[in-house]
Amino acid sequence: MTTVLIAIAGAAGALTRYGIGRALGPRRFPWATLGINVSGSFVLAYLVTFGAARNWPETTTVPLAVGFLGAYTTFSTFSYETIALLRTERVPAAAAYVGASVVSGLAAAALGYALATRAA
């Protein structure tokens, strides 16, 4: 049953990511992927921390964490977009993207963890 739930949640996560990308449209800077990855970092940290503190069953946390958030966030797109910026000689933008992604992602995860710890 968990496998089916992961598949359903994964489809929902992929469609959510696709919808956000379509809604924002093409940009000179990959804002959609940055926002998706940072928000996903926050939600994953919150979900796992809060779920563990409340003893949520794996049939709840695993489909959401692995399925939805695994499909929603995307390291491969981040990597490709960084290379695309570098290929078009936008080195400062590539460096800003990498820096913003790593620092913001870690900060979002830390905030998610802290808020979930407080809420639990």
Side-chain angles (χ1 to χ4, degrees), residues 61-88:
T61 55
V62 171
L64 292 173
V66 175
F68 184 85
L69 292 169
Y72 174 69
T73 59
T74 174
F75 187 75
S76 58
T77 302
F78 159 75
S79 300
Y80 175 79
E81 289 170 342
T82 301
I83 295 302
L85 289 169
L86 292 170
R87 280 190 8 250
T88 58

Side-chain angles (χ1 to χ4, degrees), residues 17 20 30-44 69-79 81 97 100-102 104-106 108-109:
R17 177 168 52 109
I20 291 170
W31 292 110
T33 305
L34 177 61
I36 286 166
N37 286 340
V38 171
S39 64
S41 296
F42 171 82
V43 173
L44 179 65
L69 292 169
Y72 174 69
T73 59
T74 174
F75 187 75
S76 58
T77 302
F78 159 75
S79 300
E81 289 170 342
Y97 183 42
S101 294
V102 172
S104 298
L106 289 172

Side-chain angles (χ1 to χ4, degrees), residues 22-63:
R22 294 278 299 179
L24 292 177
R27 303 269 193 256
R28 285 190 39 84
F29 190 83
W31 292 110
T33 305
L34 177 61
I36 286 166
N37 286 340
V38 171
S39 64
S41 296
F42 171 82
V43 173
L44 179 65
Y46 190 95
L47 170 73
V48 171
T49 304
F50 190 81
R54 296 291 174 109
N55 294 318
W56 284 0
E58 282 190 7
T59 54
T60 301
T61 55
V62 171

